[in-house]
Every structure is written in C-alpha cells, then in structure tokens.
Amino acid sequence: MRPRLRFLSKDLIKRIVEEACKLLETKGVALHHVELLRLLADLKCKVDLDRHRVWFPRDVIDWALGSAPRQVKLWNIEGAGHCDLSGDNVHFTPGSAAIKMLDYDTSRMRPATTRDMLQYSRLVEQLDPIDFSSTAVVPSDVPERIGDSIRLYALLKTTTKPIVTGAFSIDGFDVMAELQLAVRGTRQALKAKPFAMFSCCPTSPLKWNNVTADNTMKCARLGIPVEFIAMPLCGLVAPISLVGAVIQHTAETLSGIIISQASCPGAPIVYGGSPGVFDMRTMAATICSVEAQMIDCAYVEVGKHLQLPTQAYIGMSDSKFLDGQAGFESGTGTYLAALAGINSISGPGMLYFESCQSLEKLVFDAEICGMARRLVAGMEVRE
C-alpha cells in the first residue's frame, strides 16, 4: 500500500473551497489586462474596467473547473516519452529563477552567470532522480531584455528532459514561444506534445499584473501547460492563520484557472504554489518553515479534491550554506511532498529563501528524491 499524508478533513476542504469562491464573488481580484477583462465580461463576470477589477460568479468558477484537464503530460525534448502529472504520481524538478549561485570554490553566494546555467543543465541531465530540468538561475551577465529567452535556449542546447520555466516580460515570452515552436515545428505538434511548463504567479493578495496574466492567456492558446504559483505570505499579505492562507491560496489559484480556461477551454493547468511565513524578527519570508510546508501539503489536498494536477515549491532550504539546516529542511520537505502525492515537486538545489542555487546541493537533493520515491512505493509482500 502507498503511505499517505493528510492535514485536512473532507468537510474542511469543502469549507475552504466555498470560502474561496465567496471571496471571488464578493471581493473579486485586481486584473491589469484589458483584453482579459473584456473576455471575462463576455462570460458574464462583473467587470470594472476603470478599476481593473473582476468578480467571478459561482457558475463561471464551476465551468472553469469542469473545463480544466485532470491530467497534464509533459514530454521530453525529442517527444519520445512523457511524465504523467496526475493522481499521486510524483516528479522532481530543481527550483527556478535563482538570482544567486553558491560558488563551489569559495562557498560564498554570488550573482549567477550563463556559465552557471550551462553547468547546472549538464548536471541535471545526469541526475536520474530529477525528472524535469528548469530555468534554475537568472544570469546576470546578459542584457535584461534577452534574460528570459537565453535561459530556455541554454537548456534546449544541453538537456533532453522536460523543462519548467517562466517569463518576466511579455516580449520575453513571445521569444520563448518561438523557441518552442522551432523545436516542435508546428502549433499542433507543440500542443500535442508540450515539453515546457510555464510558472505564472498571481500577486498576493488577489492580484494579477499585466505580464503574468498575458503569459497565462498566451500559454492557454498555445497549449503550453501552466503551473499557477500563488504565494500567500502569512502575516504580511495573507492571514496569519494557516487555514486562512490556504483559503486565499485557493481563491488566487481559482482565479488563474478561470483566466486560463476563458482564454482557451481545456488549456492544461497545474494547481501549484509557493507559500511562506513572514518572520517579524528578521523581516524574512521563510519558505521552508514547518508552517509553510504544512500549507503546501494542505493546498495540494484542495487541488486533489478538485481533481487537478498539483505542484509545490518544497524540498529546499532557507539556509545560506550547505549545513545541517539545509539538509534537514530539504529532507523533511521532500518526504512530506512525496507522501502528499504532489505531482511536480520543485525545489532541489535551492537555498536562501528561493533565491540561490547550488550544484553540490542539487546532487545531494537528488539522492533524497530517490529515497522519497522509494518511500512512497511502500511495502509489498514477496513470497
């Protein structure tokens, strides 16, 4: 039997979803994207173009949830095999978009470079427990306007694995879309066998800026899977209570699902996130505290209740060094994530509040991922 982890009762999950839907109906979300606001108005959503705000009626929420696929397949670059993001299948991918690198010669953090990106990508290709690659670092030695596309291009030159990525600009996304079309050849082929999954992040509380909303819309129309990364921060931009943070996370993620399905019904989405807890003593957003890991596992239960593929940023560390804290937080997070049945577990290799990558830690974390996969395989009787 497969060992499992649960934090929420079925009744509590239903209450969380109901309260999240009530938030979307009564408070709405800020959406700074005129085309999407008009598209949602056509769906009978209440829209205020001057205030850039939209309110979602319950029937639209239910329609979007019914439209979203229950399974997402992410193919390798060659299109010869895929990973199945559904059920309790677990997959591991390094955390994305770190601006720093832990230098293995000096053991100090420094700005990441293109060379780091290439070294990282070649390493991931050799780590069997890591299922996807990712645009793990943001190189500081290239012009900002090509920063998005150069990360994806570097991976396309060095890896065969599926890719988790994202764009920080509208122009950057357009180039990244062209790179994907160059690999697959046609829009139909890309939609049939997507190899890159884009992270799209609402801004807590209950906001969508122009870039992330536009990326979500374009991904939907191209058939590129989107993982929604809501980031409620308890005590700062989210309720201090853990259940309250899960309710806000649910509302923000549901709003993303509606945007995606309104753009193209049936567009592939993944129910993800990266919650944290605000530390009043240090003014830091702790991503790897036990409370943050509990929120991760709890919102995944909500996603599974809605029968959607799931993702979480977990299995990493807030430490600045390769020390006991780094090992403990990464290990506990990875085990909790695997037991919760999270389909895409993002985090191996990451340090320092989701802003630093380490090649040594990535090798260490890959071993933890292998052990976690063995753990959830469970025990079986062999005569």
Side-chain angles (χ1 to χ4, degrees):
M1 77 180 262
R2 188 195 193 283
R4 301 178 187 278
L5 176 72
R6 296 289 182 267
F7 283 95
L8 307 175
S9 67
K10 290 184 178 179
D11 288 341
L12 181 53
I13 292 174
K14 292 178 181 177
R15 285 180 59 193
I16 288 170
V17 174
E18 286 300 316
E19 291 199 30
C21 291
K22 186 177 179 181
L23 270 177
L24 294 177
E25 288 182 283
T26 59
K27 301 297 182 183
V29 301
L31 176 58
H32 295 271
H33 196 287
V34 174
E35 182 180 349
L36 280 169
L37 285 171
R38 289 175 174 157
L39 187 62
L40 292 167
D42 292 340
L43 288 176
K44 309 304 181 185
C45 296
K46 178 184 174 183
V47 169
D48 188 329
L49 285 172
D50 294 329
R51 294 171 57 198
H52 301 283
R53 197 157 195 87
V54 57
W55 293 261
F56 301 106
R58 184 58 187 263
D59 60 336
V60 171
I61 300 172
D62 292 339
W63 167 80
L65 286 172
S67 173
R70 276 34 186 168
Q71 178 193 48
V72 167
K73 291 182 178 180
L74 203 59
W75 296 76
N76 61 18
I77 303 297
E78 297 173 348
H82 68 269
C83 295
D84 176 6
L85 277 65
S86 66
D88 287 332
N89 299 329
V90 296
H91 305 86
F92 299 96
T93 178
S96 296
I99 58 174
K100 296 180 181 294
M101 198 78 186
L102 188 68
D103 190 286
Y104 51 80
D105 289 328
T106 65
S107 296
R108 293 181 178 275
M109 285 187 289
R110 56 167 173 75
T113 66
T114 308
R115 183 171 179 268
D116 294 325
M117 186 78 215
L118 293 170
Q119 288 183 327
Y120 148 83
S121 180
R122 294 181 180 116
L123 176 61
V124 168
E125 190 71 7
Q126 301 176 62
L127 298 176
D128 291 338
I130 304 297
D131 300 284
F132 314 148
S133 189
S134 72
T135 46
V137 299
V138 180
S140 62
D141 56 346
V142 297
E144 184 176 344
R145 58 180 304 202
I146 66 168
D148 290 333
S149 52
I150 199 70
R151 295 185 299 145
L152 179 58
Y153 180 74
L155 289 182
L156 292 176
K157 297 292 286 185
T158 52
T159 187
T160 62
K161 294 183 178 183
I163 297 167
V164 177
T165 187
F168 297 116
S169 67
I170 292 174
D171 291 341
F173 176 87
D174 292 340
V175 176
M176 296 172 81
E178 290 297 324
L179 286 172
Q180 293 173 78
L181 289 169
V183 172
R184 283 290 184 259
T186 65
R187 284 188 172 222
Q188 292 77 13
L190 179 61
K191 184 173 286 191
K193 293 185 176 182
F195 61 85
M197 180 162 63
F198 272 68
S199 300
C200 293
C201 311
T203 303
S204 293
L206 299 167
K207 298 173 186 171
W208 285 86
N209 67 37
N210 186 50
V211 173
T212 53
D214 196 81
N215 288 352
T216 300
M217 178 184 70
K218 289 178 178 175
C219 279
R221 292 173 177 174
L222 287 167
I224 298 170
V226 165
E227 55 178 24
F228 293 113
I229 311 296
M231 296 181 280
L233 187 59
C234 287
L236 187 65
V237 290
I240 194 68
S241 71
L242 304 190
V243 173
V246 176
I247 293 170
Q248 181 177 309
H249 176 280
T250 304
E252 291 171 346
T253 307
L254 288 177
S255 69
I257 294 171
I258 297 167
I259 290 170
S260 173
Q261 300 309 303
S263 303
C264 182
I269 59 95
V270 175
Y271 195 97
S274 181
V277 175
F278 187 61
D279 189 331
M280 293 294 290
R281 296 170 301 174
T282 63
M283 307 296 283
T286 58
I287 310 297
C288 303
S289 66
V290 65
E291 294 88 356
Q293 292 176 347
M294 291 169 69
I295 297 171
D296 278 315
C297 296
Y299 82 65
V300 162
E301 290 183 56
V302 176
K304 288 183 177 295
H305 170 76
L306 299 172
Q307 301 179 39
L308 298 171
T310 57
Q311 180 274 352
Y313 269 90
I314 189 172
M316 51 193 168
S317 176
D318 290 334
S319 177
K320 301 176 183 178
F321 310 102
L322 299 178
D323 56 7
Q325 177 188 349
F328 177 79
E329 290 176 344
S330 299
T332 55
T334 302
Y335 274 35
L336 287 171
L339 290 170
I342 301 174
N343 299 135
S344 178
I345 302 169
S346 303
M350 289 209 94
L351 291 163
Y352 195 47
F353 311 110
E354 228 174 56
S355 66
C356 179
Q357 268 284 350
S358 164
L359 299 184
E360 300 98 314
K361 185 175 185 297
L362 185 56
V363 174
F364 178 81
D365 288 351
E367 293 296 316
I368 297 177
C369 294
M371 290 188 286
R373 186 173 274 118
R374 175 63 189 90
L375 172 68
V376 296
M379 295 184 178
E380 58 181 279
V381 177
R382 302 185 183 215
E383 296 296 336

